[in-house]
Amino acid sequence: AVVSTQSTGDMVNEEHPPADTISVLERELRAFNPELPGRVVGIIANKIDLVPGPEPIIELARQFPNLSVAPVSALHSRNTSAIRALIEPFKTHRPLKDDQCSINS
């Protein structure tokens, strides 16, 4: 699963609305692999500590009704559990083999 990310601080910037940023990301994903945009499951809206109220998050959810919106503040560790909840269904546990554990320089 691919998860779109968005700096919530840009939500109050009229020049770079989140919908435009996410549309660009979707085009880039499609150019790389046409199946990838269909795998996007949510938007991680970071920097919610910079937004004065919930309106930008509500608007983002309205613009992308098929995606989950996870408003978080990485700086203040707010709502980071929403990220885990968003990606948890896609995690698979694959133990590394011994030869995969070394770091090549």
Side-chain angles (χ1 to χ4, degrees):
V2 177
V3 179
S4 299
T5 60
Q6 173 65 34
S7 169
T8 311
D10 289 340
M11 290 184 175
V12 293
N13 183 343
E14 295 286 328
E15 294 179 34
H16 303 287
D20 290 355
T21 303
I22 293 168
S23 295
V24 168
L25 177 59
E26 287 176 340
R27 279 195 308 272
E28 290 176 357
L29 289 171
R30 192 173 294 108
F32 181 74
N33 180 334
E35 294 179 13
L36 288 179
R39 293 182 177 179
V40 174
V41 296
I43 301 167
I44 299 172
N46 191 23
K47 300 186 180 180
I48 59 170
D49 48 295
L50 301 178
V51 179
E55 292 80 14
I57 300 296
I58 294 168
E59 179 61 20
L60 190 60
R62 188 191 66 72
Q63 290 177 340
F64 298 94
N66 296 331
L67 300 177
S68 297
V69 178
V72 301
S73 171
L75 178 65
H76 300 291
S77 299
R78 281 182 41 203
N79 205 26
T80 55
S81 61
I83 298 171
R84 279 187 241 105
L86 194 61
I87 63 173
E88 189 66 35
F90 303 97
K91 287 175 38 179
T92 58
H93 177 68
R94 294 184 213 157
L96 293 176
K97 297 176 185 171
D98 288 338
D99 62 340
Q100 293 175 314
C101 295
S102 63
I103 298 174
N104 297 326
S105 333

